[in-house]
Amino acid sequence: MGITKQYLKSKPICKVTFSVPAEDAKKVAVVGDFNNWSPKGSALKKLKNGTFKGTFDLPKESTYEFKYIVDGNYVNEAEADRFQWNEFAGTENSVLEL
């Protein structure tokens, strides 16, 4: 898994690319604070090498909790900036700091 951040000088946003190697998976989505934890419109595209990838424009100077949904299972990003306990979910979430 991995996250790539590209900060734009002309706008107060960061292009964030999420990559999830999951050859055997049928569907992967990223959900979090930035999309109200909704998988609609947040599906990652499967590449020929089996990696799912997607890029999202997110406001800079913000922090977001998020997870991946891999075939219906919630998964944390191993390379997240940090992890945050979430009382509502009863588990840790990945955290993205921009």
Side-chain angles (χ1 to χ4, degrees):
M1 290 188 247
I3 299 173
T4 306
K5 302 173 189 176
Q6 179 185 3
Y7 293 92
L8 301 183
K9 292 180 181 178
S10 59
K11 297 179 183 175
I13 64 167
C14 179
K15 287 188 172 293
V16 180
T17 301
F18 297 94
S19 300
V20 181
E23 282 186 47
D24 298 330
K26 292 185 172 114
K27 289 183 180 180
V28 176
V30 60
V31 295
D33 295 334
F34 49 83
N35 63 5
N36 292 316
W37 296 89
S38 174
K40 290 186 178 184
S42 66
L44 304 183
K45 183 178 178 183
K46 189 170 189 176
L47 306 178
K48 289 180 182 178
N49 67 1
T51 298
F52 285 80
K53 201 171 209 179
T55 302
F56 300 86
D57 292 348
L58 301 177
K60 289 196 297 190
E61 299 179 9
S62 298
T63 300
Y64 304 98
E65 288 187 33
F66 74 98
K67 281 190 181 272
Y68 298 115
I69 302 177
V70 180
D71 288 344
N73 298 310
Y74 286 88
V75 179
N76 271 328
E77 166 61 64
E79 298 176 24
D81 294 320
R82 63 182 173 87
F83 297 93
Q84 176 72 43
W85 179 258
N86 184 291
E87 198 64 44
F88 179 76
T91 187
E92 282 188 331
N93 288 333
S94 304
V95 175
L96 176 67
E97 296 177 336
L98 302 179

